[in-house]
Amino acid sequence: MKTTRRKFLAGSTAVGIAGAIGTSALFNKAFAQASNTLIFAAAGTVTGSWDPSSHTVAPQITAEGFVFGRLTRCPMTPDNPGEILPDLAVSWSQLDEHTLEYKLREGVTFHDGKPFTARDVKATYEYASDPSRPASAWYPGRVDVEVVDDHTVRLNTAKYGYPALNFWYVVSFLPILSADDVANPETLKQRPNGTGAYQYVSTNGDQINFQAFENYHGGKPAIDNLVWAYVPDANTRVLGLLNGQYHLTERLEPEQYVSLSNEAGIKTDRSLSSENKYLHFRCNKPPFDDVRVRLAVCHAIDRSQVLEVVGEAGQASNCHISPVKFGFTDVAGYPEYDPAKAQALLAEAGYPNGQGLPEIEYITSVGFYPKTREYGELIAAMLQEQGFPIKLTTLEPAAWEEQLYRRADGQGPGHIIDVGWITGSPEPDLVLRPNYYSQFALVNGISDAEIDASLDKERGATTTEERLTILQTETLPLIAAKAPSISLFSSVFLRAMTDKLDGVFFFPNGPIDLTQARFV
């Protein structure tokens, strides 16, 4: 029997915005609007370290976006995903296969007052690309940085055997650290020190305080103070926005977005993100060490029904990267809903009708991504129909993040985990290598020589045209066929803010540009 959306929703309960709005007693006035202070109700929190090379956590990347500068910026608009704009670099060029040269902006200072120079770029890139750093997977590999003069650097990859072109887009995502901070890792962990529009002031529980940087190279922002308020519950974020407690919030549920679009005093934003939502399989332990079982799950899920539940927050995807990424293609033969094929694969793997399968824990979050509980229950029901003994575990974002990555023994908790993967650059390897290259495979633990060889091949291409062909005809179809994860959909970001806030720009990976923002 096919699980339909109508059957699934019939037994569920939901709290609508209209009903929730009436519970004014829940409002906390502690964050009442201060003069020229923007209070951002964030869906996620930060880690215990402010070192950007110590994590790959999306909410913290958003927080770091206020503080740190990059060499370049990529707005990643759907009509021009490859556009590159200046930030700390004012020009860039490819000198040869292994060398990129960047001319740096003069007159830039860090928040601690020290000047930004080429030595900071060298320290950042050579430190953070070290394979021992947790976020080294963001880098295409190790890199040497030559300081030509105070405001000229050259990124060189000759020693490491891959083309420097791999950094062409990546530099728009990697935060630039102070060389002095890199030399003192404990200082680096304790507080962020960047060149961005806002500087860190303090952390008080779930609240982080920033203030406009007087010496920001683009001019001091008009909004003097920024408060990051971690609010894990989506309804609470909406209630606070309506009450004036918050000025801006993110990751709305679809029905919240629809309701707020018609609310006086509120304006909304809907935009395609650089994030796909995945179910990752723990590929290095049974039963998902068998590709047939992974593919059986893929064919047991009707992703069109998942999209019905997600509504405004999703867009159909047959690819492991977002449409705003270089190399995106609609992969031919991407695993589609086919219960008969699921059953045939289970039987071939030795689990006819699911008999003999262990209990399979499916871990998801609630409050950060839209509709995860609802579509998690739907997917669990679909899998149970095909004989998979599913145990669904739903966690608050902080607890879910603790379950997300593989641990010291190489394995992660549970068997299936729902996760998004979002990066601030058109570079596809920021998604592909951390997730599917055996050296990293941060979530699923896949170890596959064919995938590794294909990822190395596309990374080794010396022209963008050659690389595009390899990605679209070899790498992405191979990952789909091996199924270390399945892409459920591409995420669409749903946000809302007071209509008195103007000039805000949203990057498709989550960070928010407030350099031109003001209250009107």
Side-chain angles (χ1 to χ4, degrees):
M1 181 182 69
K2 180 178 178 180
T3 301
T4 66
R5 185 181 184 224
R6 179 173 296 177
K7 289 176 185 174
F8 164 68
L9 293 177
S12 67
T13 59
V15 178
I17 289 179
I21 290 173
T23 59
S24 58
L26 296 177
F27 293 148
N28 182 345
K29 298 290 188 178
F31 293 122
Q33 180 174 343
S35 175
N36 210 21
T37 294
L38 186 153
I39 302 175
F40 170 49
T45 188
V46 301
T47 71
S49 170
W50 281 107
D51 178 352
S53 76
S54 70
H55 69 91
T56 57
V57 177
Q60 183 149 339
I61 291 168
T62 297
E64 290 168 354
F66 298 118
V67 176
F68 291 102
R70 280 88 175 153
L71 290 181
T72 62
R73 291 281 185 176
C74 288
M76 288 191 292
T77 55
D79 57 341
N80 191 10
E83 181 183 19
I84 303 175
L85 301 175
D87 189 1
L88 294 178
V90 294
S91 66
W92 44 94
S93 59
Q94 183 175 8
L95 301 186
D96 57 47
E97 179 182 347
H98 295 292
T99 311
L100 299 179
E101 182 175 273
Y102 290 84
K103 296 289 186 180
L104 306 180
R105 189 181 299 276
E106 299 186 25
V108 176
T109 61
F110 283 93
H111 297 155
D112 65 1
K114 294 176 181 174
F116 160 71
T117 68
R119 68 186 284 267
D120 301 302
V121 179
K122 177 178 176 65
T124 297
Y125 276 65
E126 293 183 354
Y127 164 69
S129 67
D130 187 308
S132 67
R133 300 307 305 148
S136 64
W138 293 139
Y139 290 74
R142 298 203 70 163
V143 61
D144 293 326
V145 181
E146 176 190 355
V147 174
V148 179
D149 57 46
D150 276 356
H151 296 97
T152 308
V153 294
R154 290 176 181 162
L155 308 185
N156 191 278
T157 61
K159 187 189 300 183
Y160 308 105
Y162 67 93
L165 191 63
N166 284 266
F167 277 96
W168 193 250
Y169 291 125
V170 173
V171 298
S172 70
F173 177 66
L174 304 174
I176 298 297
L177 311 174
S178 162
D180 290 342
D181 289 346
V182 171
N184 295 281
E186 284 304 313
T187 300
L188 189 60
K189 288 195 299 186
Q190 292 302 316
R191 56 99 181 97
N193 174 35
T195 60
Y198 284 84
Q199 62 187 99
Y200 173 79
V201 177
S202 63
T203 300
N204 301 307
D206 289 334
Q207 179 176 307
I208 307 169
N209 301 303
F210 303 93
Q211 67 182 23
F213 182 39
E214 293 277 354
N215 297 318
Y216 177 57
H217 64 79
K220 180 187 174 185
I223 294 176
D224 292 328
N225 303 295
L226 168 66
V227 175
W228 170 292
Y230 170 47
V231 185
D233 179 69
N235 276 335
T236 304
R237 294 196 297 272
V238 169
L239 292 171
L241 180 69
L242 291 167
N243 187 48
Q245 181 179 350
Y246 311 125
H247 304 107
L248 170 65
T249 192
E250 62 174 352
R251 295 190 179 268
L252 299 172
E253 297 288 346
E255 68 273 13
Q256 293 173 334
Y257 170 80
V258 172
S259 294
L260 289 172
S261 296
N262 300 310
E263 189 74 27
I266 300 294
K267 57 185 178 182
T268 55
D269 177 83
R270 182 181 188 271
S271 53
L272 181 65
S273 79
S274 60
E275 173 183 74
N276 278 16
K277 282 303 301 295
Y278 308 91
L279 293 186
H280 277 284
F281 305 108
R282 305 295 196 187
C283 298
N284 56 2
K285 63 181 178 181
F288 294 119
D289 53 352
D290 188 329
V291 65
R292 296 169 296 186
V293 182
R294 301 197 298 265
L295 285 169
V297 169
C298 296
H299 289 300
I301 298 172
D302 186 346
R303 291 182 293 136
S304 67
Q305 290 193 54
V306 174
L307 273 174
E308 283 189 54
V309 174
V310 172
E312 295 278 0
Q315 177 174 304
S317 169
N318 287 317
C319 188
H320 278 80
I321 56 175
S322 161
V324 301
K325 290 284 188 178
F326 174 79
F328 169 82
T329 188
D330 194 24
V331 174
Y334 202 86
E336 294 290 353
Y337 179 61
D338 189 336
K341 188 173 287 187
Q343 287 300 321
L345 286 163
L346 280 175
E348 184 181 332
Y351 303 109
N353 299 311
Q355 296 173 17
L357 284 170
E359 182 180 68
I360 294 171
E361 184 180 18
Y362 168 4
I363 301 172
T364 191
S365 62
V366 61
F368 185 66
Y369 299 111
K371 293 298 179 186
T372 44
R373 185 197 302 274
E374 290 85 348
Y375 76 68
E377 291 173 352
L378 173 62
I379 289 172
M382 291 175 178
L383 295 179
Q384 286 162 355
E385 285 181 0
Q386 301 305 318
F388 290 93
I390 297 294
K391 171 191 173 185
L392 182 64
T393 300
T394 303
L395 302 171
E396 292 287 324
W400 165 80
E401 286 176 6
E402 291 180 357
Q403 304 292 302
L404 180 56
Y405 297 108
R406 294 194 292 140
R407 297 179 175 174
D409 63 358
Q411 296 187 350
H415 302 87
I416 304 173
I417 189 162
D418 179 287
V419 64
W421 197 267
I422 190 163
T423 58
S425 163
E427 173 54 55
D429 273 358
L430 291 172
V431 177
L432 300 179
R433 292 187 80 83
N435 284 292
Y436 308 114
Y437 197 71
S438 299
Q439 179 183 346
F440 304 112
L442 299 176
V443 177
N444 54 57
I446 188 73
S447 182
D448 188 287
E450 289 184 88
I451 293 177
D452 291 350
S454 185
L455 287 169
D456 284 340
K457 183 178 179 181
E458 60 89 4
R459 186 182 74 152
T462 56
T463 68
T464 55
E465 293 78 13
E466 179 190 5
R467 191 171 181 226
L468 182 66
T469 298
I470 296 169
L471 281 164
Q472 293 186 338
T473 64
E474 298 180 32
T475 309
L476 290 167
L478 180 63
I479 293 172
K482 299 277 189 174
S485 68
I486 183 169
S487 177
L488 296 173
F489 53 87
S490 292
S491 295
V492 177
F493 278 162
L494 306 176
R495 307 178 181 92
M497 69 195 87
T498 171
D499 65 0
K500 306 216 178 291
L501 183 60
D502 198 18
V504 180
F505 177 82
F506 299 104
F507 285 94
N509 63 313
I512 303 167
D513 185 348
L514 297 176
T515 56
Q516 304 302 313
R518 62 186 64 246
F519 288 112
V520 295

